[in-house]
């Protein structure tokens, strides 16, 4: 039996908009194009799901929807696709619609570029502009060519995803500047940011208000906006410091369901909607409805409850089994930020840190921690002051002195020892033995083969002095790919030798990532969430690591630094 996914209004509207785009590129009848655009707008403004319409006749009652359009909508809601659209799409080169996403390029320009220059995608457009071939076209000059090149550059920049850390602080800033407004009842961020995904495509801000226009005005007046992509009555999209920010304003009575909807993920939402339909309910961004009676909408918890589910934490909403677990009542009791009792990977001025051990201790105490492990770099990493065997003894003396002055807090003596390219550790065993904690990590030779890399890290795991493997894959998000590693073999070795795997909390790293962390805990490995802080402010990054752990379905007991005192 075919399970109907039931396309949503917005997806149907998108099809009609795209049809209008294609027709315009093909220079077809103006009125026909207008009709599709108008239909798309009508559908976007509808509060009722199109899937609830029972007949072509019923669809024809909608403004601007005549017989031909009603038939097309009916075909989509019955079959999940539209024959006409599929054919139309294939009548133009594949890359051509992407050209429309370039700022300053509309369908008419695309039509001209295609018919007169044979330009079919961004690459061919860029080439033609760089070779000054566009200047020959009627109505184009050197200036338009320059504008197109700039537009391409801008488009590419917006295509890139930013790291969680950048989006997180930007969103906090936006919320802070808007939340004082009287017009705003509630404001929060949604989307991939609320799910704490490691990279963010755009920031989604959600506001509850009775006076959306006031919110829109304040939003558009924020500092740092370089471009307004769209402005409607209840939604706007802008570019702010190279990042797209979408704002959506809803009635307070729909805030919970809108938050649920715009938190996503899309796949989570689709499955949730299917569940609602199975239960004879209707779920959308405005609420949960039973025979047109709204049974939930103001609070997100009630949206889940009305579907017979416990609240699903946003970090789990990736359609990775969380809805099934909520149905069975087996959702995990995820680790929380307040479960963290200490930080097991901290640098100081003894290597490349910017604060003294004492300053890092003071910061840790202000965070309510009971311990930190000072793990400065060994010499091979090549930082200005690596800690060698001799210096390490002096550093340990300083830690002893600090510990003597402390009650209810312990500084653990540690090192971040480099795993050299040949798999040997950068310090001899006799230097490592007396330490409380040894964190081992690769920093160089990251392009070795998978076999070499895996063997190299496993040899460190096997060393009885090594307690933790830090940032195992060495990735820097957006800058350096993870090294090629056999994660399964690494996890197995960690279990065999009781070595802990780190989730590096720095949002540039988040290494292990969510998927690997989940795999590791399912196999029975232990993890540590550590900030790898090089100054006091970086100790505040812990919550990014906790979020990654939550995305990996980790419980408190999977994470060693939730214990009161961790001493090897
Ligand atoms: P991003 O921005 O690429 O990092 O990822 P998201 O998840 O923030 O996606 P975005 O900004 O396109 O949309 C925000 C949320 O809105 C998304 O997580 C779920 C919901 N949403 C967007 N498009 C659709 C859709 O076509 N169907 C459904 N069911 N939900 C959608
Ligand atoms: Ca988003
Ligand atoms: Ca968005």
């Amino acid at each position: 039996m075919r399970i109907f996914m039931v396309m949503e209004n917005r997806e149907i509207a998108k099809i009609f908009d795209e049809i209008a785009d294609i027709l315009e590129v093909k220079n077809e009848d103006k009125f026909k194009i207008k009709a599709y655009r108008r239909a798309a707008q009508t559908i976007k403004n509808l509060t009722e799901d199109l899937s609830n319409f029972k007949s072509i006749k019923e669809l024809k009652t909608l403004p601007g929807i005549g017989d031909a359009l009603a038939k097309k909508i009916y075909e989509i809601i019955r079959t999940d696709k539209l024959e006409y659209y599929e054919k139309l799409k294939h009548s133009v080169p594949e890359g051509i619609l992407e050209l429309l996403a370039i700022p300053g390029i509309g369908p008419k320009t695309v039509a001209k570029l295609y018919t007169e220059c044979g330009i079919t995608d961004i690459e061919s457009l860029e080439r033609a502009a760089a070779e000054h071939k566009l200047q020959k076209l009627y109505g184009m000059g050197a200036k338009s060519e320059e504008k197109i090149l700039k537009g391409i550059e801008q488009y590419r920049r917006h295509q890139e995803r930013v790291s969680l850390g950048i989006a997180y602080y930007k969103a906090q800033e936006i919320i802070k500047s808007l939340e004082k407004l009287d017009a705003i009842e509630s404001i929060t961020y949604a989307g991939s940011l609320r799910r704490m995904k490691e990279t963010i495509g755009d920031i989604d801000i959600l506001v509850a208000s009775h006076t959306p226009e006031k919110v829109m005005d304040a939003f558009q007046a924020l500092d740092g906006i370089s471009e307004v992509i769209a402005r409607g009555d209840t939604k706007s999209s802008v570019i702010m410091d190279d990042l797209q920010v979408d704002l959506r304003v809803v009635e307070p009575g729909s805030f919970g369901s809108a938050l649920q909807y715009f938190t996503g993920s899309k796949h989570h939402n689709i499955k949730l909607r299917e569940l609602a339909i199975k239960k004879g309910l209707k779920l959308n961004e405005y609420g949960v409805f039973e025979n047109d009676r709204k049974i939930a909408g103001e609070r997100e918890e009630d949206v889940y409850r009305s579907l017979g589910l416990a609240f699903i934490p946003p970090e789990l909403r990736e359609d990775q089994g969380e809805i099934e677990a909520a149905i069975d009542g087996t959702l995990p009791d995820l680790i929380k930020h307040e479960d963290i009792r200490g930080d097991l990977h901290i640098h100081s001025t003894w290597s490349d840190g910017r604060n003294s051990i004492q300053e890092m201790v003071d910061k840790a105490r202000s965070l309510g921690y009971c311990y930190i492990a000072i793990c400065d770099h060994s010499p091979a990493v090549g930082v200005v002051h690596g800690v060698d065997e001799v210096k390490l003894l002096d550093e340990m003396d300083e830690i002893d002195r600090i510990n003597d002055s402390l009650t209810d807090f312990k500084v653990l003596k540690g090192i971040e020892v480099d795993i050299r390219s040949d798999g040997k550790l950068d310090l001899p065993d006799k230097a490592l033995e007396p330490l409380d904690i040894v964190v081992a990590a690769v920093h160089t030779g990251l392009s070795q083969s998978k076999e070499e890399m895996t063997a190299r890290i496993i040899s460190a795991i096997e060393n009885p002095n090594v307690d933790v493997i830090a940032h195992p894959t060495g990735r820097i998000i957006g800058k350096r790919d993870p090294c090629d590693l056999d994660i399964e073999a690494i996890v197995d070795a960690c279990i065999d030798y009781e070595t802990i795997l780190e989730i590096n909390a720095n949002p540039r790293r988040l290494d292990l990532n969510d998927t690997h962390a989940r795999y590791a805990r399912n196999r029975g490995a232990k993890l540590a969430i550590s900030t790898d802080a090089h100054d006091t402010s970086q100790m505040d990054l812990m919550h990014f690591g906790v979020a990654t752990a939550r995305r990996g379905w980790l419980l408190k007991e999977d994470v060693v630094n939730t214990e009161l005192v961790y001493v090897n």
Side-chain angles (χ1 to χ4, degrees):
M1 194 189 85
R2 179 156 184 267
I3 299 173
F4 280 107
M5 297 301 292
V6 196
M7 220 182 263
E8 289 177 35
N9 290 2
R10 67 154 69 205
E11 292 167 299
I12 300 174
K14 205 170 141 217
I15 291 178
F16 283 11
D17 264 331
E18 230 168 75
I19 289 175
D21 285 344
I22 300 171
L23 292 175
E24 206 163 352
V25 168
K26 295 179 77 168
N27 213 357
E28 297 221 8
D29 182 57
K30 271 207 313 270
F31 296 102
K32 197 165 151 191
I33 295 165
K34 223 170 163 184
Y36 279 107
R37 292 239 187 265
R38 180 151 177 242
Q41 198 53 48
T42 302
I43 295 169
K44 276 184 243 174
N45 292 341
L46 269 188
T47 50
E48 176 72 27
D49 280 359
L50 282 172
S51 54
N52 288 343
F53 285 68
K54 303 276 180 298
S55 65
I56 294 174
K57 201 170 145 201
E58 218 178 289
L59 285 163
K60 276 165 67 179
T61 60
L62 294 171
I65 306 290
D67 196 51
L69 285 167
K71 278 187 182 145
K72 289 199 167 71
I73 297 174
Y74 197 62
E75 183 184 333
I76 296 173
I77 57 184
R78 273 184 46 250
T79 67
D80 248 6
K81 55 178 212 277
L82 181 62
E83 202 71 33
Y84 169 70
Y85 168 63
E86 298 300 325
K87 275 209 188 113
L88 192 66
K89 251 196 324 197
H90 287 110
S91 70
V92 292
E94 217 183 296
I96 211 159
L97 291 183
E98 202 185 358
L99 292 174
L100 291 169
I102 299 171
I105 294 193
K108 284 200 184 66
T109 314
V110 173
K112 197 189 284 184
L113 293 167
Y114 174 47
T115 51
E116 295 178 33
C117 286
I119 286 165
T120 55
D121 52 28
I122 293 185
E123 285 68 36
S124 54
L125 176 62
E126 189 175 29
R127 226 176 306 123
E131 292 167 3
H132 305 300
K133 285 189 180 152
L134 303 182
Q135 294 189 18
K136 295 186 197 88
L137 293 183
Y138 175 72
M140 281 212 189
K143 266 222 173 93
S144 352
E145 237 171 25
E146 215 172 280
K147 232 174 102 189
I148 286 179
L149 284 171
K150 253 202 192 123
I152 293 175
E153 190 196 310
Q154 210 177 3
Y155 169 72
R156 291 218 172 106
R157 229 179 16 241
H158 300 163
Q159 286 298 94
E160 285 168 19
R161 302 177 66 82
V162 301
S163 93
L164 173 63
I166 291 173
Y168 180 85
Y169 293 112
K170 188 82 226 161
Q172 302 284 351
E173 220 178 274
I174 295 168
I175 289 174
K176 210 168 150 229
S177 3
L178 291 178
E179 66 189 354
K180 302 173 283 239
L181 281 185
D182 283 341
I184 290 182
E185 311 256 314
S186 322
I187 179 165
T188 187
Y189 54 85
S192 51
L193 177 57
R194 183 155 179 255
R195 305 198 309 279
M196 295 294 265
K197 231 180 122 157
E198 63 187 36
T199 62
I200 306 297
D202 64 24
I203 296 179
D204 302 284
I205 304 277
L206 184 68
V207 165
S209 171
H210 293 292
T211 48
E213 65 286 355
K214 285 193 185 148
V215 182
M216 286 297 155
D217 288 343
F219 178 65
Q220 301 263 346
L222 288 178
D223 286 341
I225 295 180
S226 59
E227 189 191 334
V228 176
I229 301 171
R231 181 187 168 139
D233 298 338
T234 57
K235 58 182 178 185
S236 300
S237 288
V238 301
I239 302 291
M240 221 172 173
D241 304 331
D242 278 344
L243 201 70
Q244 182 171 328
V245 185
D246 291 349
L247 173 77
R248 175 75 64 141
V249 186
V250 298
E251 287 284 317
S254 291
F255 188 68
S257 42
L259 181 56
Q260 193 292 310
Y261 184 89
F262 292 108
T263 296
S265 66
K266 187 172 165 181
H267 295 290
H268 174 90
N269 285 357
I270 288 171
K271 196 162 262 182
L272 209 61
R273 244 166 82 83
E274 276 173 25
L275 179 71
I277 291 167
K278 250 190 245 158
K279 289 180 176 284
L281 302 170
K282 195 176 90 185
L283 165 70
N284 57 32
E285 60 218 80
Y286 305 100
V288 184
F289 301 86
E290 186 172 25
N291 303 325
D292 287 336
R293 189 173 62 87
K294 188 160 161 177
I295 58 170
E298 193 170 348
R299 287 161 21 109
E300 197 183 35
E301 299 90 284
D302 296 338
V303 171
Y304 284 98
R305 191 175 305 135
S306 69
L307 299 172
L309 303 176
F311 180 78
I312 301 178
E315 297 93 331
L316 295 187
R317 300 183 196 170
E318 300 290 352
D319 189 21
Q320 297 287 327
E322 73 282 3
I323 294 180
E324 292 79 355
I327 292 171
D328 296 344
T330 54
L331 275 175
D333 184 10
L334 297 178
I335 179 174
K336 298 181 202 60
H337 190 185
E338 58 264 34
D339 293 331
I340 299 292
R341 308 310 299 262
D343 195 329
L344 292 174
H345 184 172
I346 298 278
H347 292 269
S348 76
T349 43
W350 282 85
S351 64
D352 58 346
R354 288 172 288 277
N355 287 103
S356 66
I357 297 178
Q358 185 64 54
E359 286 164 338
M360 297 308 261
V361 167
D362 294 341
K363 171 72 182 184
R365 301 197 79 179
S366 79
L367 294 173
Y369 289 165
C370 303
Y371 53 91
I372 53 173
I374 297 294
C375 301
D376 277 305
H377 286 290
S378 64
V381 182
V383 296
V384 200
H385 332 271
V387 176
D388 61 19
E389 235 182 303
V390 179
K391 237 169 108 179
L392 186 58
L393 293 174
D394 293 339
E395 187 176 10
M396 297 309 118
D397 282 345
E398 180 174 324
I399 293 178
D400 278 335
R401 280 196 301 278
I402 292 175
N403 272 332
D404 284 344
S405 71
L406 293 170
T407 48
D408 306 326
F409 191 92
K410 188 163 163 94
V411 186
L412 302 177
K413 297 175 184 166
I415 187 96
E416 180 179 9
V417 64
D418 185 59
I419 307 168
R420 295 185 199 158
S421 294
D422 60 3
K424 292 212 173 66
L425 296 181
D426 194 28
L427 287 172
D429 282 334
K430 70 175 190 326
L432 304 178
E433 255 157 34
L435 300 175
D436 295 316
I437 179 165
V438 173
V439 171
V442 290
H443 294 94
T444 50
L446 298 177
S447 52
Q448 284 179 346
S449 72
K450 185 172 184 174
E451 291 69 31
E452 283 174 301
M453 211 65 217
T454 305
R456 180 176 164 193
I457 294 182
I458 287 181
S459 69
I461 292 170
E462 289 172 353
N463 184 312
N465 290 312
V466 171
D467 300 293
V468 183
I469 301 296
H471 42 74
T473 76
R475 72 162 175 181
I476 305 287
I477 293 172
K479 286 226 165 66
R480 187 167 74 206
D481 285 340
C483 67
D484 210 358
L485 263 194
D486 182 346
I487 287 286
E488 294 169 18
I490 299 280
V491 167
D492 283 347
C494 280
I495 293 166
D496 288 347
Y497 290 89
E498 295 185 2
T499 305
I500 297 156
L501 282 162
E502 178 181 276
I503 295 176
N504 192 291
N506 191 306
R508 285 157 47 84
R509 288 194 182 266
L510 301 177
D511 181 12
L512 294 182
N513 67 18
D514 45 11
T515 313
H516 289 159
R518 187 172 182 187
Y519 174 80
R521 69 111 7 216
N522 282 347
R523 295 283 296 172
K526 291 285 180 210
L527 294 101
I529 307 174
S530 309
T531 63
D532 194 357
H534 283 66
D535 60 39
T536 52
S537 72
Q538 289 182 353
M539 289 175 78
D540 291 323
L541 302 176
M542 183 61 85
H543 68 106
F544 292 115
V546 175
T548 301
R550 288 167 65 86
R551 288 179 58 82
W553 293 55
L554 264 62
L555 314 182
K556 182 179 173 186
E557 48 268 37
D558 299 318
V559 177
V560 294
N561 52 317
T562 57
E563 285 167 40
L564 200 52
V565 174
Y566 179 81
V567 185
N568 192 35

